[in-house]
Each structure stands twice: as structure tokens, then as C-alpha cells.
């Protein structure tokens, strides 16, 4: 059963371009290196300022864990941290 | 630029099976009849009781409007209404 993740990220004023650049790179690495990842797409909220949402789908729990342990994911953290306005909100979902 | 939608739906106690059946049918109709829809996947939240989340991606604003005007979407409303515990929360997103 596939697993969904919705990550909601608040970015500091003036840091949107930096955030987007890091996240586009991360998304490309996820797609290139994680066969168990089925979707990793980053969006900007229309109505909420400085708010981004990542839609993620993994084929199973193992693929989700592979993502969390990956070098590219771990490397993105220190680059994203200075752009963010708080901790990310992560919602875990099971496909019905 | 593609458009994302995240719909969060709260279902009444005891109505999950009925809700899921209607939504699986709706998802099948979206996939079969909306070429501008790129994702329409229904998930159950792991930690929040009675909470479902629909991840949707459309290729453009026109495809999103086509979805909202479709016969299958309009027909699902009256079937879903009696299963729900409140109004859906709909978040509109632009792909970066």
C-alpha cells in the first residue's frame, strides 16, 4: 500500500528564492535516486504567504525510510534550515 | 504550470467504509475522464482519526475548472455529504 506525505514548510521573508533553489535540487535527486518514490513535487500555497507544500508518495514504508536516510535528504537539511521560519509540519498518510 | 490541490475531509464515526467507496469511484472517474488531471489519490491520515486527504494535480487552471464542473464530481457531492463531519478544507497550490 502506498504511503503519502504532505510536508508544509514556512519560509522566512526574502528567502523564497534560496528555498526554492535548494528544494528543486532535492526534488531532482529524489526522482533520480529513489525508485520507491512515486511523487515528490513542491508547490507554493496560493493564499498563505511564504508557505510551501511538498506532496510525496512512496510505494511502501521501506521506500519512505530510504528517503529519510538518503544522503541527498540529509544534505538538504542544513541548506534549508536558514531559509525556514519554523519547523516543518509533516503529515503521514496511507493510501486507501 | 501545474496546480496542486490538497483536500482534507473529516468523516463521521462509522461512515468510513461508505466514504471510501464513494471516493474510490470518484477517483476512478476522474482518472478515466479528465486528461488534464495528473494525480487524484485518496489517503487516510495515520494519526488523526476519521481524516482523509486527497492529493490532486492538474496540468493547468483550465483542467482544475473542468474537474469542478464535471458530472462525476457534481454527482459525488450528495453521496459524500451524509458521510462527512464538516466542510472540506481545500488548499490551492502552484507548482514551483
Amino acid at each position: 500500500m502506498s504511503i503519502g506525505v504532505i510536508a508544509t514548510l514556512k519560509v522566512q521573508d526574502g528567502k523564497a528564492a534560496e528555498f526554492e533553489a535548494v528544494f528543486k535540487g532535492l526534488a531532482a535527486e529524489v526522482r533520480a535516486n529513489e525508485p520507491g518514490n512515486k511523487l515528490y513535487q513542491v508547490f507554493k500555497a496560493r493564499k498563505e504567504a511564504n508557505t510551501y507544500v511538498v506532496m510525496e508518495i512512496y510505494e511502501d514504508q521501506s521506500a519512505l525510510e530510504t528517503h529519510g536516510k538518503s544522503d541527498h535528504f540529509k544534505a538538504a537539511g542544513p541548506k534549508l534550515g536558514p531559509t525556514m521560519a519554523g519547523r516543518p509540519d509533516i503529515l503521514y498518510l496511507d493510501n486507501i
Side-chain angles (χ1 to χ4, degrees), chain A:
Chain A
M1 185 173 63
S2 65
I3 293 170
V5 176
I6 294 175
T8 304
L9 305 144
K10 300 272 186 184
V11 173
Q12 295 172 36
D13 281 336
K15 299 282 189 175
E18 185 181 343
F19 172 88
E20 291 189 13
V22 176
F23 237 104
K24 284 177 181 173
L26 175 58
E29 289 196 273
V30 168
R31 290 190 199 110
N33 298 302
E34 295 182 33
N37 174 275
K38 301 306 176 190
L39 181 76
Y40 199 90
Q41 203 157 335
V42 187
F43 297 88
K44 192 173 196 308
R46 284 194 177 171
K47 292 193 176 170
E48 296 174 35
N50 298 336
T51 302
Y52 291 82
V53 175
V54 190
M55 288 190 198
E56 306 173 36
I57 299 176
Y58 299 89
E59 65 183 6
D60 55 23
Q61 184 68 24
S62 170
L64 173 60
E65 289 167 12
T66 295
H67 171 70
K69 292 174 185 167
S70 67
D71 288 343
H72 49 268
F73 181 75
K74 290 180 183 171
K79 289 186 273 186
L80 289 171
T83 72
M84 293 184 59
R87 292 174 65 86
D89 178 63
I90 313 289
L91 182 65
Y92 293 99
L93 308 161
D94 292 308
N95 198 200
I96 68 167

